[in-house]
Amino acid sequence: MDINKKIEELKIVPVVVLQEEKDALPLGKALIDGGLPVAEVTFRTAAAEGSIRAMAKEYPEMLVGAGTVTNVEQAKKAVAAGAKFLVTPGFSRTVTEYAVKYGIPIFPGVCTPTELMFLLEYGLTVAKFFPAAQYGGLDTIKALSAPFPGIRFMPTGGINAGNIGEYLKNPKIIACGGSWMVKGDLIAAGKFDEIRRLTAEAVKLAKA
């Protein structure tokens, strides 16, 4: 599978924080039923590894990745659990080198020209731009695109239903990361029908 191509087709990558593994499967089903079979499960909680394993096993049609990966140990656990791609909040040479060595798709987090030059050293062409809203959003992406014409971006942070359309119009953006359709309070309350509804709405916005 060409992960970059698949993510570009989907246009949105839900950024998921799971506090309990039991929520992984109903969340995965809500995303699939909403028309968005992809999730970046963040390593911000102890439930991440088990949640990735459960979703990857139960929903083979789903593109499950690991986010907030900050060290190689987490990367190895994620891949062993079934993660198909890795996302880091900032640029880590050790995690990037591990991913490149073993052919694992990785989207390192960047927000400066220096970090983009690191990205080029490893032959990577897609960067997570994070936190997007705090670092100038679309204006900064446009400015960075001038000296780095071969790089495309997956902005995350401050992306929502109100601005995702504007982001996706820019050809330098492969997809957007977002959490508004998978908010923690909705997951904790078991409101998976609402998550499915919000996901379906997000898909319509992305296709508009």
Side-chain angles (χ1 to χ4, degrees), residues 147-160:
F148 300 100
I151 298 289
R152 298 182 73 195
F153 298 88
M154 184 165 65
T156 305
I159 311 293
N160 54 53

Side-chain angles (χ1 to χ4, degrees), residues 15-19 27 40-42 44-45 182-184 187:
V15 180
V16 177
V17 180
L18 286 165
Q19 301 296 335
L27 176 71
E40 175 192 325
V41 181
T42 62
R44 301 180 192 180
T45 71
V182 288
K183 287 182 179 178
I187 296 172

Side-chain angles (χ1 to χ4, degrees), residues 103 116 128:
L116 284 169
K128 172 181 180 174

Side-chain angles (χ1 to χ4, degrees), residues 8-141:
E8 184 169 13
E9 289 172 355
L10 292 167
K11 300 182 186 298
I12 303 173
V13 177
V15 180
V16 177
V17 180
L18 286 165
Q19 301 296 335
E20 299 185 54
E21 289 182 25
K22 69 177 179 61
D23 294 324
L25 293 184
L27 176 71
K29 187 176 188 304
L31 289 172
I32 292 169
D33 290 348
L36 201 54
V38 57
E40 175 192 325
V41 181
T42 62
F43 263 78
R44 301 180 192 180
T45 71
E49 183 182 358
S51 297
I52 290 170
R53 181 174 290 107
M55 278 196 264
K57 181 180 179 181
E58 185 70 19
Y59 306 123
E61 73 274 29
M62 190 174 189
L63 183 58
V64 183
T68 321
V69 176
T70 58
N71 56 63
V72 174
E73 182 182 358
Q74 288 177 336
K76 289 180 177 178
K77 287 181 178 179
V79 172
K84 296 294 191 296
F85 63 92
L86 304 174
V87 185
T88 59
F91 192 91
S92 165
R93 284 195 179 275
T94 55
V95 176
T96 301
E97 286 169 5
Y98 163 78
V100 171
K101 180 179 180 180
Y102 292 102
I104 303 158
I106 184 168
F107 303 100
V110 306
C111 59
T112 69
T114 299
E115 291 162 326
L116 284 169
M117 290 181 75
F118 292 158
L119 201 81
L120 291 176
E121 290 179 18
Y122 292 96
L124 300 175
T125 58
V126 180
K128 172 181 180 174
F129 182 67
F130 176 81
Q134 289 77 4
Y135 279 95
L138 200 51
D139 286 342
T140 300
I141 289 173

